[in-house]
Amino acid sequence: MDDLAPEPFVTVVTPAFRAARWIEGALRTVAEQREGGRVRVEHIVLDGGPDDGTAAIAARYAHPDTRYVRRPDAGPADAINRGLAEAVSYTHLTL
């Protein structure tokens, strides 16, 4: 990520576990916020569950500022904390 990003710059952390039914809505919402370049959004999706198709859906929304991480975690709070530890921006949201 470069220093020439539009302002504001925010990070959205999305914990996911067997999330194939709803993850597309979250990914689409973040993608819509990026339209027009008014805001730079880093999106970190942390999938702690089995392969239920979430990864394939996330791949359709690939973006340089989106990271999909699949690894076991100790629940949603753990996933959010891990995402916040990886976040680049100073403004953080969860979705």
Side-chain angles (χ1 to χ4, degrees):
M1 295 185 207
D2 60 301
D3 291 332
L4 302 176
E7 292 296 331
F9 177 32
V10 299
T11 299
V12 176
V13 176
T14 304
F17 184 83
R18 296 183 180 158
R21 292 183 301 167
W22 59 264
I23 195 67
E24 187 162 16
L27 291 161
R28 186 180 316 113
T29 296
V30 171
E32 289 170 356
Q33 298 307 308
R34 291 178 172 138
E35 289 178 7
R38 293 183 311 275
V39 64
R40 181 174 177 186
V41 182
E42 172 189 39
H43 193 188
I44 304 171
V45 179
L46 296 126
D47 185 358
D51 185 10
D52 66 342
T54 300
I57 296 167
R60 293 197 308 256
Y61 288 85
H63 185 278
D65 286 335
T66 296
R67 280 181 277 154
Y68 172 82
V69 180
R70 185 167 170 228
R71 65 178 173 224
D73 57 49
D78 182 47
I80 291 168
N81 287 332
R82 288 179 186 205
L84 293 175
E86 296 180 19
V88 175
S89 78
Y90 294 110
T91 305
H92 308 126
L93 307 164
T94 59
L95 175 64

